[in-house]
Amino acid sequence: MLPVVMHAPNISIDLAALNFPLMVSEKLDGWRGLFAGGQILTKNCRVQPNRNLWHHFRELLDLGTRELWVFDCEIYSPSMTLEQIQGILQSPDGDPSGLTANVFDCLTAREYFANSKTMSYRRRYARYIDMIGSRRPANTVAVLNRVVGSVDELMSYYHDVLDAGGEGLVVRHPGRSYCHGRCKAKSDMMYKLKSETITGHELPVQQMQAA
């Protein structure tokens, strides 16, 4: 059984209790994909059934296979709904044109499959930004993070994303390592800030849910 990808804890978090600075990126409403060993796997590490994905993402797959990297990604298109993306990926002959692999984490094969302790997210982020930026595999995007130092900065960025039509934010602690499965509630590794989880728009926001 292959180890599953990292998920944020399914709890509500007091924003005031977060440990800043944090690394923040826009949440994409796509389909989680793990690029490893020449295959594209689901978040539960099952092989994607679409036969056309290998050619569409061949350059990223080749990079991972040749240099033993594992890429944690969101397969996404801004012009498609999540249901449309799911339909393409779950169909053996679906057309993946327009889909991109949005890389937000990168581990060595040993780190991922041997469950070895990984370097910090700050260093893993620098690694994939450099790798994707220099190699430029087709149909691949390196997800950019912004460093925020306070709740005010976090919420300012959050509202900017909402105003632009986005769904929310993914919040990560820069010093934490990777874990398999759902993070422990007190691990302070990763959370997701989404519009439907916010209470009291006219007051300082007190909670966000990690999903």
Side-chain angles (χ1 to χ4, degrees):
M1 183 73 177
L2 294 174
V4 300
V5 299
M6 183 168 72
H7 297 280
N10 191 20
I11 58 172
S12 293
I13 303 296
D14 182 358
L15 290 179
L18 292 176
N19 294 312
F20 292 92
L22 296 167
M23 296 177 69
V24 185
S25 62
E26 181 176 351
K27 184 183 182 301
L28 303 176
D29 193 19
W31 188 257
R32 190 78 171 268
L34 190 73
F35 287 61
Q39 294 182 314
I40 302 174
L41 309 173
T42 68
K43 63 183 179 181
N44 295 317
C45 283
R46 296 186 176 92
V47 177
Q48 290 283 5
N50 187 316
R51 293 186 290 263
N52 296 320
L53 292 178
W54 187 90
H55 180 75
H56 187 68
F57 293 118
R58 182 184 60 195
E59 293 182 14
L60 183 61
L61 287 166
D62 284 349
L63 175 60
T65 302
R66 185 172 62 250
E67 302 188 23
L68 300 179
W69 294 113
V70 174
F71 298 104
D72 203 348
C73 310
E74 194 85 2
I75 300 176
Y76 174 71
S77 170
S79 62
M80 298 182 194
T81 64
L82 176 58
E83 290 73 22
Q84 290 172 320
I85 295 171
Q86 289 175 334
I88 292 170
L89 297 179
Q90 294 173 347
S91 170
D93 299 309
D95 181 4
S97 299
L99 295 179
T100 57
N102 294 263
V103 177
F104 56 79
D105 213 332
C106 173
L107 299 94
T108 65
R110 178 177 177 81
E111 285 172 335
Y112 190 85
F113 292 107
N115 202 20
S116 302
K117 182 176 177 60
T118 69
M119 62 177 59
S120 68
Y121 183 69
R122 181 190 297 107
R123 294 180 65 188
R124 301 197 314 273
Y125 171 71
R127 180 163 64 186
Y128 81 70
I129 288 292
D130 177 69
M131 191 179 309
I132 302 302
S134 62
R135 312 295 177 84
R136 298 187 181 277
N139 304 312
T140 303
V141 176
V143 175
L144 299 177
N145 276 251
R146 177 183 299 188
V147 177
V148 297
S150 66
V151 172
D152 287 343
E153 286 185 45
L154 176 65
M155 296 313 300
S156 175
Y157 184 28
Y158 166 77
H159 287 298
D160 287 345
V161 168
L162 284 195
D163 290 345
E167 180 184 358
L169 299 175
V170 179
V171 182
R172 295 181 175 86
H173 192 290
R176 300 294 184 260
S177 59
Y178 194 93
C179 74
H180 294 295
R182 200 167 291 281
C183 303
K184 294 180 180 180
K186 296 182 180 181
S187 66
D188 197 25
M189 287 183 179
M190 180 172 108
Y191 308 104
K192 292 184 181 179
L193 178 56
K194 300 165 66 175
S195 58
E196 63 267 24
T197 65
I198 293 182
T199 58
H201 291 278
E202 67 283 353
L203 298 172
V205 176
Q206 296 300 316
Q207 290 184 325
M208 72 178 183
Q209 179 172 336

